[in-house]
Amino acid sequence: MDQDLELMLGVRRGDRGSFGQLLGRHRGPVVSYVYRLVRDAALAEDLAQEVFLRVYQARHRWKPDARFTTWLYRIATNLALNAVRDSRRTALPAASADGEGEDEAARLADPKPIADAQMIASERERTIRQAVEALPEKQRAAVLLHKYQDVDYHQIARVLGVSESAVKSLLFRAYETLRARLEPLMREGNL
Amino acid sequence: MNPQTNCLGREKIFRCLHHLLEPAEEAAVSRHLSQCAECRRIGESFLQLDAVLGEWKGIEPSPEFDARLRQALAARRPTSLLGMFFAMPTNRALAAALAVALLVAGTLMIRHFRSQSGPNTAGQAPGQQVLTAKTGPSPAVETPGQGNLSAEEELKIYENLPVLENYDLLANFDVLSELPQESGKVDN
């Protein structure tokens, strides 16, 4: 039996230990996934907490007709995308999750060029993040699930509520767009 | 596939590398990639993109994550017996069904009792003589504190205008109810 399935059946029976184990297995990936969607570490943690709260509260209604991770990422995706849409509606300033704004201010304050590997890596990461964020909502979610969460396309289809062939097209279009945007980084990597 | 070069399209190469093809098709595409330099170059560019995307690191949950989650769970847990009772979905459904059943039963009972109560005979002044309608030629007349009356006394009562003016009372007499209603009289 799938380990997640076994643990979730335990949670449904009221076994707190099973819930703790599920949390241990999926806490990190869920926080990372939500963070990549919302770009705010504090918000990502709050939303990830809400994901696990909903899992626990819905334990009596859960049915083992799909993989646990499908259900988990469906909740996470819905919460994260809702938060992103809400933040756009209220036009909040873009959150600085990793201090990128502070880095920018420090760089401007210090005129000396800093040829720091860490700074370059941070710059590359920012470019990658911006390229992924520029993708349409479903393409972005599909790429994040496929590339960073190792979710297979059958599950991605169920998480996003689309067909499997639609997932394949979403992924290809997303990667083609990313390839065009990140070509400079790919060329740098070849130097 | 390009018929001139026998090469695969970019999407087919992408799908093969990301295991989005059926096994048989994936095997065929893999064979082609091993033989075609141009298609292999396209495939390598997709793999390079994959590596670049991998540079974007995620974050680790904070050390307080589990403790905060436990607090949140405790805060949402029902504290009263009633709360715990209603926390279970089957009990909520049962309570809702019971409430509906009680409402329906109450409505039916109210309707039943209303239909059982007779026409309104309120309005009689205390101490007023009461005429009770009985079948038979000579209705018995009762006055408070007195037994059955003689024919003369009975006639006197009939001549008693206050009694005759109590149309509400008189309307209950079968004999009188068959009489045609005159305009101006109280119609019950």
Side-chain angles (χ1 to χ4, degrees), chain A residues 47-68:
Chain A
L47 291 172
Q49 297 254 329
E50 185 62 29
V51 169
F52 288 104
L53 276 169
R54 290 190 184 202
V55 164
Y56 187 77
Q57 286 175 331
R59 64 195 183 282
H60 297 298
R61 293 195 303 273
W62 177 76
K63 290 176 191 169
D65 54 356
R67 288 175 68 176
F68 171 74

PDB file of all heavy atoms in Angstrom, chain A residues 47-68:
ATOM      1  N   LEU A  47       0.049  29.899   4.286  1.00  0.00           N
ATOM      2  CA  LEU A  47      -0.804  29.131   3.377  1.00  0.00           C
ATOM      3  C   LEU A  47      -0.551  27.630   3.532  1.00  0.00           C
ATOM      4  O   LEU A  47      -1.490  26.829   3.487  1.00  0.00           O
ATOM      5  CB  LEU A  47      -0.568  29.568   1.923  1.00  0.00           C
ATOM      6  CG  LEU A  47      -1.061  30.982   1.582  1.00  0.00           C
ATOM      7  CD1 LEU A  47      -0.614  31.381   0.186  1.00  0.00           C
ATOM      8  CD2 LEU A  47      -2.577  31.083   1.684  1.00  0.00           C
ATOM      9  N   ALA A  48       0.721  27.261   3.724  1.00  0.00           N
ATOM     10  CA  ALA A  48       1.037  25.845   3.915  1.00  0.00           C
ATOM     11  C   ALA A  48       0.390  25.330   5.201  1.00  0.00           C
ATOM     12  O   ALA A  48      -0.115  24.200   5.244  1.00  0.00           O
ATOM     13  CB  ALA A  48       2.549  25.645   3.966  1.00  0.00           C
ATOM     14  N   GLN A  49       0.368  26.157   6.248  1.00  0.00           N
ATOM     15  CA  GLN A  49      -0.319  25.790   7.491  1.00  0.00           C
ATOM     16  C   GLN A  49      -1.793  25.524   7.196  1.00  0.00           C
ATOM     17  O   GLN A  49      -2.373  24.548   7.673  1.00  0.00           O
ATOM     18  CB  GLN A  49      -0.212  26.930   8.505  1.00  0.00           C
ATOM     19  CG  GLN A  49       1.183  27.288   8.957  1.00  0.00           C
ATOM     20  CD  GLN A  49       1.471  26.814  10.352  1.00  0.00           C
ATOM     21  OE1 GLN A  49       0.559  26.738  11.167  1.00  0.00           O
ATOM     22  NE2 GLN A  49       2.708  26.491  10.645  1.00  0.00           N
ATOM     23  N   GLU A  50      -2.387  26.424   6.423  1.00  0.00           N
ATOM     24  CA  GLU A  50      -3.803  26.303   6.081  1.00  0.00           C
ATOM     25  C   GLU A  50      -4.052  25.013   5.285  1.00  0.00           C
ATOM     26  O   GLU A  50      -5.083  24.353   5.465  1.00  0.00           O
ATOM     27  CB  GLU A  50      -4.248  27.526   5.272  1.00  0.00           C
ATOM     28  CG  GLU A  50      -5.727  27.576   4.959  1.00  0.00           C
ATOM     29  CD  GLU A  50      -6.621  27.647   6.183  1.00  0.00           C
ATOM     30  OE1 GLU A  50      -6.168  28.203   7.215  1.00  0.00           O
ATOM     31  OE2 GLU A  50      -7.754  27.140   6.132  1.00  0.00           O
ATOM     32  N   VAL A  51      -3.102  24.659   4.425  1.00  0.00           N
ATOM     33  CA  VAL A  51      -3.241  23.408   3.647  1.00  0.00           C
ATOM     34  C   VAL A  51      -3.366  22.221   4.604  1.00  0.00           C
ATOM     35  O   VAL A  51      -4.289  21.409   4.491  1.00  0.00           O
ATOM     36  CB  VAL A  51      -2.035  23.206   2.700  1.00  0.00           C
ATOM     37  CG1 VAL A  51      -2.041  21.806   2.108  1.00  0.00           C
ATOM     38  CG2 VAL A  51      -2.052  24.250   1.588  1.00  0.00           C
ATOM     39  N   PHE A  52      -2.456  22.133   5.561  1.00  0.00           N
ATOM     40  CA  PHE A  52      -2.467  20.982   6.465  1.00  0.00           C
ATOM     41  C   PHE A  52      -3.646  21.044   7.435  1.00  0.00           C
ATOM     42  O   PHE A  52      -4.191  20.003   7.833  1.00  0.00           O
ATOM     43  CB  PHE A  52      -1.132  20.881   7.216  1.00  0.00           C
ATOM     44  CG  PHE A  52      -0.005  20.423   6.325  1.00  0.00           C
ATOM     45  CD1 PHE A  52       0.945  21.318   5.868  1.00  0.00           C
ATOM     46  CD2 PHE A  52       0.087  19.103   5.916  1.00  0.00           C
ATOM     47  CE1 PHE A  52       1.964  20.906   5.012  1.00  0.00           C
ATOM     48  CE2 PHE A  52       1.097  18.680   5.063  1.00  0.00           C
ATOM     49  CZ  PHE A  52       2.043  19.585   4.613  1.00  0.00           C
ATOM     50  N   LEU A  53      -4.074  22.233   7.796  1.00  0.00           N
ATOM     51  CA  LEU A  53      -5.275  22.358   8.632  1.00  0.00           C
ATOM     52  C   LEU A  53      -6.482  21.792   7.899  1.00  0.00           C
ATOM     53  O   LEU A  53      -7.294  21.068   8.472  1.00  0.00           O
ATOM     54  CB  LEU A  53      -5.523  23.829   8.967  1.00  0.00           C
ATOM     55  CG  LEU A  53      -4.754  24.396  10.153  1.00  0.00           C
ATOM     56  CD1 LEU A  53      -4.885  25.900  10.208  1.00  0.00           C
ATOM     57  CD2 LEU A  53      -5.239  23.779  11.450  1.00  0.00           C
ATOM     58  N   ARG A  54      -6.586  22.134   6.627  1.00  0.00           N
ATOM     59  CA  ARG A  54      -7.726  21.645   5.835  1.00  0.00           C
ATOM     60  C   ARG A  54      -7.640  20.138   5.637  1.00  0.00           C
ATOM     61  O   ARG A  54      -8.665  19.454   5.638  1.00  0.00           O
ATOM     62  CB  ARG A  54      -7.773  22.369   4.490  1.00  0.00           C
ATOM     63  CG  ARG A  54      -8.174  23.822   4.654  1.00  0.00           C
ATOM     64  CD  ARG A  54      -8.449  24.487   3.362  1.00  0.00           C
ATOM     65  NE  ARG A  54      -8.730  25.900   3.571  1.00  0.00           N
ATOM     66  CZ  ARG A  54      -9.401  26.647   2.724  1.00  0.00           C
ATOM     67  NH1 ARG A  54      -9.848  26.140   1.600  1.00  0.00           N
ATOM     68  NH2 ARG A  54      -9.618  27.917   2.973  1.00  0.00           N
ATOM     69  N   VAL A  55      -6.439  19.638   5.460  1.00  0.00           N
ATOM     70  CA  VAL A  55      -6.284  18.185   5.329  1.00  0.00           C
ATOM     71  C   VAL A  55      -6.795  17.511   6.600  1.00  0.00           C
ATOM     72  O   VAL A  55      -7.562  16.547   6.552  1.00  0.00           O
ATOM     73  CB  VAL A  55      -4.801  17.823   5.078  1.00  0.00           C
ATOM     74  CG1 VAL A  55      -4.551  16.342   5.335  1.00  0.00           C
ATOM     75  CG2 VAL A  55      -4.399  18.184   3.650  1.00  0.00           C
ATOM     76  N   TYR A  56      -6.402  18.053   7.746  1.00  0.00           N
ATOM     77  CA  TYR A  56      -6.790  17.439   9.025  1.00  0.00           C
ATOM     78  C   TYR A  56      -8.300  17.547   9.244  1.00  0.00           C
ATOM     79  O   TYR A  56      -8.952  16.588   9.661  1.00  0.00           O
ATOM     80  CB  TYR A  56      -6.037  18.099  10.177  1.00  0.00           C
ATOM     81  CG  TYR A  56      -6.262  17.396  11.498  1.00  0.00           C
ATOM     82  CD1 TYR A  56      -5.603  16.199  11.777  1.00  0.00           C
ATOM     83  CD2 TYR A  56      -7.152  17.905  12.436  1.00  0.00           C
ATOM     84  CE1 TYR A  56      -5.830  15.534  12.973  1.00  0.00           C
ATOM     85  CE2 TYR A  56      -7.376  17.246  13.634  1.00  0.00           C
ATOM     86  CZ  TYR A  56      -6.711  16.054  13.897  1.00  0.00           C
ATOM     87  OH  TYR A  56      -6.930  15.390  15.072  1.00  0.00           O
ATOM     88  N   GLN A  57      -8.859  18.724   8.937  1.00  0.00           N
ATOM     89  CA  GLN A  57     -10.285  18.940   9.197  1.00  0.00           C
ATOM     90  C   GLN A  57     -11.156  18.131   8.248  1.00  0.00           C
ATOM     91  O   GLN A  57     -12.279  17.774   8.576  1.00  0.00           O
ATOM     92  CB  GLN A  57     -10.615  20.430   9.078  1.00  0.00           C
ATOM     93  CG  GLN A  57     -10.115  21.221  10.267  1.00  0.00           C
ATOM     94  CD  GLN A  57     -10.328  22.703  10.110  1.00  0.00           C
ATOM     95  OE1 GLN A  57     -10.350  23.235   9.004  1.00  0.00           O
ATOM     96  NE2 GLN A  57     -10.497  23.389  11.211  1.00  0.00           N
ATOM     97  N   ALA A  58     -10.628  17.839   7.060  1.00  0.00           N
ATOM     98  CA  ALA A  58     -11.411  17.087   6.076  1.00  0.00           C
ATOM     99  C   ALA A  58     -11.125  15.597   6.139  1.00  0.00           C
ATOM    100  O   ALA A  58     -11.551  14.855   5.243  1.00  0.00           O
ATOM    101  CB  ALA A  58     -11.106  17.620   4.674  1.00  0.00           C
ATOM    102  N   ARG A  59     -10.422  15.149   7.178  1.00  0.00           N
ATOM    103  CA  ARG A  59      -9.970  13.756   7.227  1.00  0.00           C
ATOM    104  C   ARG A  59     -11.139  12.765   7.176  1.00  0.00           C
ATOM    105  O   ARG A  59     -11.018  11.688   6.604  1.00  0.00           O
ATOM    106  CB  ARG A  59      -9.131  13.516   8.490  1.00  0.00           C
ATOM    107  CG  ARG A  59      -9.871  13.686   9.806  1.00  0.00           C
ATOM    108  CD  ARG A  59      -8.889  13.781  10.968  1.00  0.00           C
ATOM    109  NE  ARG A  59      -9.565  13.880  12.245  1.00  0.00           N
ATOM    110  CZ  ARG A  59     -10.121  14.972  12.737  1.00  0.00           C
ATOM    111  NH1 ARG A  59     -10.108  16.083  12.030  1.00  0.00           N
ATOM    112  NH2 ARG A  59     -10.709  14.966  13.920  1.00  0.00           N
ATOM    113  N   HIS A  60     -12.306  13.123   7.760  1.00  0.00           N
ATOM    114  CA  HIS A  60     -13.433  12.188   7.756  1.00  0.00           C
ATOM    115  C   HIS A  60     -14.047  12.070   6.369  1.00  0.00           C
ATOM    116  O   HIS A  60     -14.652  11.051   6.038  1.00  0.00           O
ATOM    117  CB  HIS A  60     -14.490  12.649   8.761  1.00  0.00           C
ATOM    118  CG  HIS A  60     -14.003  12.654  10.179  1.00  0.00           C
ATOM    119  ND1 HIS A  60     -13.586  11.503  10.811  1.00  0.00           N
ATOM    120  CD2 HIS A  60     -13.840  13.643  11.068  1.00  0.00           C
ATOM    121  CE1 HIS A  60     -13.189  11.813  12.046  1.00  0.00           C
ATOM    122  NE2 HIS A  60     -13.347  13.094  12.230  1.00  0.00           N
ATOM    123  N   ARG A  61     -13.916  13.149   5.577  1.00  0.00           N
ATOM    124  CA  ARG A  61     -14.542  13.137   4.235  1.00  0.00           C
ATOM    125  C   ARG A  61     -13.587  12.569   3.181  1.00  0.00           C
ATOM    126  O   ARG A  61     -13.999  12.291   2.063  1.00  0.00           O
ATOM    127  CB  ARG A  61     -14.910  14.557   3.816  1.00  0.00           C
ATOM    128  CG  ARG A  61     -16.005  15.191   4.643  1.00  0.00           C
ATOM    129  CD  ARG A  61     -16.555  16.420   3.926  1.00  0.00           C
ATOM    130  NE  ARG A  61     -15.532  17.402   3.624  1.00  0.00           N
ATOM    131  CZ  ARG A  61     -15.145  18.371   4.456  1.00  0.00           C
ATOM    132  NH1 ARG A  61     -15.686  18.473   5.633  1.00  0.00           N
ATOM    133  NH2 ARG A  61     -14.217  19.237   4.104  1.00  0.00           N
ATOM    134  N   TRP A  62     -12.294  12.423   3.521  1.00  0.00           N
ATOM    135  CA  TRP A  62     -11.313  11.986   2.524  1.00  0.00           C
ATOM    136  C   TRP A  62     -11.589  10.557   2.079  1.00  0.00           C
ATOM    137  O   TRP A  62     -11.888   9.680   2.881  1.00  0.00           O
ATOM    138  CB  TRP A  62      -9.909  12.087   3.122  1.00  0.00           C
ATOM    139  CG  TRP A  62      -8.851  11.594   2.193  1.00  0.00           C
ATOM    140  CD1 TRP A  62      -8.345  12.237   1.110  1.00  0.00           C
ATOM    141  CD2 TRP A  62      -8.181  10.336   2.253  1.00  0.00           C
ATOM    142  NE1 TRP A  62      -7.393  11.456   0.501  1.00  0.00           N
ATOM    143  CE2 TRP A  62      -7.275  10.289   1.170  1.00  0.00           C
ATOM    144  CE3 TRP A  62      -8.264   9.241   3.114  1.00  0.00           C
ATOM    145  CZ2 TRP A  62      -6.452   9.201   0.930  1.00  0.00           C
ATOM    146  CZ3 TRP A  62      -7.441   8.147   2.863  1.00  0.00           C
ATOM    147  CH2 TRP A  62      -6.548   8.133   1.779  1.00  0.00           C
ATOM    148  N   LYS A  63     -11.504  10.350   0.765  1.00  0.00           N
ATOM    149  CA  LYS A  63     -11.692   9.009   0.225  1.00  0.00           C
ATOM    150  C   LYS A  63     -10.434   8.638  -0.549  1.00  0.00           C
ATOM    151  O   LYS A  63      -9.890   9.456  -1.297  1.00  0.00           O
ATOM    152  CB  LYS A  63     -12.892   8.978  -0.729  1.00  0.00           C
ATOM    153  CG  LYS A  63     -14.214   9.137  -0.040  1.00  0.00           C
ATOM    154  CD  LYS A  63     -15.352   9.208  -1.047  1.00  0.00           C
ATOM    155  CE  LYS A  63     -16.625   9.624  -0.345  1.00  0.00           C
ATOM    156  NZ  LYS A  63     -17.680   9.958  -1.290  1.00  0.00           N
ATOM    157  N   PRO A  64      -9.997   7.383  -0.418  1.00  0.00           N
ATOM    158  CA  PRO A  64      -8.751   6.992  -1.100  1.00  0.00           C
ATOM    159  C   PRO A  64      -8.964   6.665  -2.573  1.00  0.00           C
ATOM    160  O   PRO A  64      -8.505   5.639  -3.060  1.00  0.00           O
ATOM    161  CB  PRO A  64      -8.316   5.750  -0.303  1.00  0.00           C
ATOM    162  CG  PRO A  64      -9.584   5.192   0.237  1.00  0.00           C
ATOM    163  CD  PRO A  64     -10.509   6.329   0.462  1.00  0.00           C
ATOM    164  N   ASP A  65      -9.678   7.540  -3.296  1.00  0.00           N
ATOM    165  CA  ASP A  65      -9.915   7.262  -4.718  1.00  0.00           C
ATOM    166  C   ASP A  65      -8.894   7.969  -5.601  1.00  0.00           C
ATOM    167  O   ASP A  65      -8.913   7.842  -6.811  1.00  0.00           O
ATOM    168  CB  ASP A  65     -11.336   7.679  -5.114  1.00  0.00           C
ATOM    169  CG  ASP A  65     -11.627   9.129  -4.751  1.00  0.00           C
ATOM    170  OD1 ASP A  65     -10.750   9.776  -4.133  1.00  0.00           O
ATOM    171  OD2 ASP A  65     -12.719   9.616  -5.073  1.00  0.00           O
ATOM    172  N   ALA A  66      -8.022   8.745  -4.984  1.00  0.00           N
ATOM    173  CA  ALA A  66      -6.924   9.386  -5.719  1.00  0.00           C
ATOM    174  C   ALA A  66      -5.725   9.414  -4.790  1.00  0.00           C
ATOM    175  O   ALA A  66      -5.859   9.208  -3.584  1.00  0.00           O
ATOM    176  CB  ALA A  66      -7.312  10.802  -6.131  1.00  0.00           C
ATOM    177  N   ARG A  67      -4.579   9.682  -5.367  1.00  0.00           N
ATOM    178  CA  ARG A  67      -3.391   9.739  -4.529  1.00  0.00           C
ATOM    179  C   ARG A  67      -3.478  10.903  -3.563  1.00  0.00           C
ATOM    180  O   ARG A  67      -4.046  11.956  -3.895  1.00  0.00           O
ATOM    181  CB  ARG A  67      -2.142   9.848  -5.405  1.00  0.00           C
ATOM    182  CG  ARG A  67      -1.824   8.545  -6.120  1.00  0.00           C
ATOM    183  CD  ARG A  67      -0.674   8.672  -7.066  1.00  0.00           C
ATOM    184  NE  ARG A  67       0.578   8.899  -6.339  1.00  0.00           N
ATOM    185  CZ  ARG A  67       1.763   8.975  -6.942  1.00  0.00           C
ATOM    186  NH1 ARG A  67       1.838   8.850  -8.251  1.00  0.00           N
ATOM    187  NH2 ARG A  67       2.840   9.199  -6.257  1.00  0.00           N
ATOM    188  N   PHE A  68      -2.912  10.729  -2.400  1.00  0.00           N
ATOM    189  CA  PHE A  68      -2.944  11.763  -1.379  1.00  0.00           C
ATOM    190  C   PHE A  68      -2.295  13.048  -1.886  1.00  0.00           C
ATOM    191  O   PHE A  68      -2.801  14.148  -1.643  1.00  0.00           O
ATOM    192  CB  PHE A  68      -2.223  11.270  -0.117  1.00  0.00           C
ATOM    193  CG  PHE A  68      -2.014  12.347   0.902  1.00  0.00           C
ATOM    194  CD1 PHE A  68      -3.071  12.815   1.667  1.00  0.00           C
ATOM    195  CD2 PHE A  68      -0.767  12.921   1.082  1.00  0.00           C
ATOM    196  CE1 PHE A  68      -2.883  13.834   2.594  1.00  0.00           C
ATOM    197  CE2 PHE A  68      -0.565  13.935   2.003  1.00  0.00           C
ATOM    198  CZ  PHE A  68      -1.629  14.384   2.766  1.00  0.00           C
TER     199      PHE A  68
END
